[in-house]
Amino acid sequence: MLFHPMDILIFLAFGLSLWAQFKVKGTFNKWAEVDANSSLTGAEVARKILDSNGLYHVPVELVPGTLTDHYDPLSRTVRLSEPVYYGRSIAAVSVAAHEVGHAIQHQQSYGALVLRHRMFPVVNFSSGIAPFLLLGGFFLQQTSLIGLGIILFSAAVAFQLVTLPVEFNASSRAKKLLLAEGFIHNDEVRGVNGVLNAAALTYVAAALISVLELIKFVMIFFQGNSEEE
């Protein structure tokens, strides 16, 4: 089937994803030009928040690239891109605090994060196999292959859905920590919200695309079964 009615919604979701990526870059660049009143770098803010939460063993490392910031749960390391690591802007401290939020989630065994970690090995396997099963099923018109592909693809979709509360919670923690520890003032909250909300939108768009694609595959599967009967 070359075209499916769901493709229209998927196309729109892809448009939202592209817009979200453009927005996160634009918002980051905007607030990267506005220095935070604390005059601390992203690395310094990350280190101070980690230490104040007893995470002395969690290192803060520099990672190449832009917007490549992340928390590595395997090595328990906060990795910050150069603009964030060395930057003293609202954008830099916002992203740094967000990644530290993940480290605190890990420390406190935040439910959604624990579930996400447990799902990762399964998703890492299923996401690599599912596309081949789905393509094979479509070309060979084998609904059994499509059905198996759907089951494996569902794990990847579930992983992205679980990622949403993890990211939103990390951002919420970041805002509270930045304010509570005096790294930002009330008049800087708008910038923090702008940076973190733009980043969250990229996860929402990605999850939306996956859900719509899953619905499409399920519809094709049931349509194929009805035609065989």
Side-chain angles (χ1 to χ4, degrees):
M1 181 177 292
L2 296 177
F3 175 79
H4 190 276
M6 286 298 297
D7 288 334
I8 298 175
L9 293 178
I10 293 172
F11 177 78
L12 293 174
F14 268 111
L16 174 63
S17 178
L18 291 174
W19 179 78
Q21 293 175 35
F22 174 80
K23 183 175 178 59
V24 72
K25 291 179 181 178
T27 304
F28 180 87
N29 290 336
K30 173 185 176 180
W31 291 103
E33 296 178 358
V34 181
D35 288 344
N37 286 322
S38 64
S39 297
L40 296 173
T41 66
E44 290 171 336
V45 167
R47 183 73 269 155
K48 287 179 179 294
I49 296 177
L50 287 168
D51 291 348
S52 66
N53 284 273
L55 295 172
Y56 308 102
H57 60 287
V58 176
V60 179
E61 297 180 351
L62 180 66
V63 65
T66 302
L67 296 177
T68 50
D69 314 88
H70 63 279
Y71 169 69
D72 183 350
L74 297 179
S75 62
R76 290 181 177 255
T77 302
V78 172
R79 296 196 172 99
L80 304 177
S81 62
E82 186 172 342
V84 172
Y85 192 95
Y86 294 113
R88 300 178 186 273
S89 66
I90 290 177
V93 301
S94 299
V95 173
H98 174 89
E99 300 308 332
V100 171
H102 287 310
I104 297 174
Q105 288 175 336
H106 199 172
Q107 175 200 38
Q108 298 177 352
S109 297
Y110 176 62
L113 184 71
V114 172
L115 177 60
R116 187 172 182 270
H117 289 172
R118 291 177 178 174
M119 291 174 66
F120 182 76
V122 176
V123 173
N124 195 36
F125 168 78
S126 65
S127 61
I129 302 295
F132 295 101
L133 291 174
L134 290 168
L135 286 173
F138 293 145
F139 283 114
L140 299 175
Q141 296 184 340
Q142 293 290 322
T143 53
S144 58
L145 287 179
I146 297 175
L148 182 57
I150 286 173
I151 292 173
L152 296 179
F153 184 68
S154 297
V157 175
F159 183 81
Q160 289 195 322
L161 292 176
V162 170
T163 295
L164 294 179
V166 173
E167 295 300 327
F168 281 111
N169 179 265
S171 290
S172 177
R173 290 172 186 266
K175 297 171 191 176
K176 293 177 182 177
L177 289 167
L178 287 171
L179 276 172
E181 302 197 24
F183 298 131
I184 62 168
H185 297 164
N186 288 327
D187 60 347
E188 297 174 301
V189 172
R190 184 171 69 90
V192 175
N193 285 334
V195 172
L196 297 182
N197 290 344
L201 185 59
T202 62
Y203 291 99
V204 173
L208 179 60
I209 292 171
S210 295
V211 170
L212 292 174
E213 288 180 334
L214 177 60
I215 293 173
K216 171 186 172 179
F217 297 146
V218 171
M219 291 174 67
I220 294 174
F221 174 77
F222 282 110
Q223 181 180 352
N225 278 343
S226 64
E227 290 175 352
E228 291 177 3
E229 294 176 355

